[in-house]
Amino acid sequence: LGGKAIVVLGGSGTVGSGIVRSLLLRKAQVIAPYRSQSSLDSIKKATKDIDAQNLFVVEADIGDKDGTGASKLKNFIDDK
């Protein structure tokens, strides 16, 4: 998966963090939006023992009602 960029929604959860780890171990670039500091901490904890230089995190609530979180994520991806 080297060279591929993949967005993982829910990357701080039990299943999502496993997906993030698996993708990073396969050399993919992973973009993981998060909503809170505890979510960010969960992502960091799940990836602390592996090379996470291809992990990109952005604070963005994708489920917000006004769509600003989705727009923020899109802008982040467009800038990468």
Side-chain angles (χ1 to χ4, degrees):
L1 295 174
K4 303 243 187 233
I6 301 168
V7 177
V8 179
L9 302 180
S12 65
T14 304
V15 174
S17 62
I19 292 169
V20 168
R21 284 181 59 84
S22 178
L23 292 170
L24 288 172
L25 288 169
R26 287 167 178 77
K27 308 298 184 205
Q29 293 181 357
V30 178
I31 301 166
Y34 66 94
R35 292 185 292 185
S36 65
Q37 183 63 48
S38 64
S39 294
L40 177 59
D41 293 343
S42 293
I43 295 169
K44 288 181 178 181
K45 182 179 178 183
T47 58
K48 69 180 178 183
D49 62 336
I50 62 172
D51 181 6
Q53 70 180 11
N54 286 331
L55 174 62
F56 302 93
V57 293
V58 57
E59 185 175 9
D61 182 357
I62 303 307
D64 62 2
K65 294 186 188 312
D66 63 3
T68 56
S71 292
K72 190 173 184 179
L73 177 60
K74 180 192 178 302
N75 291 337
F76 182 84
I77 292 168
D78 288 346
D79 290 343
K80 288 292 167 201

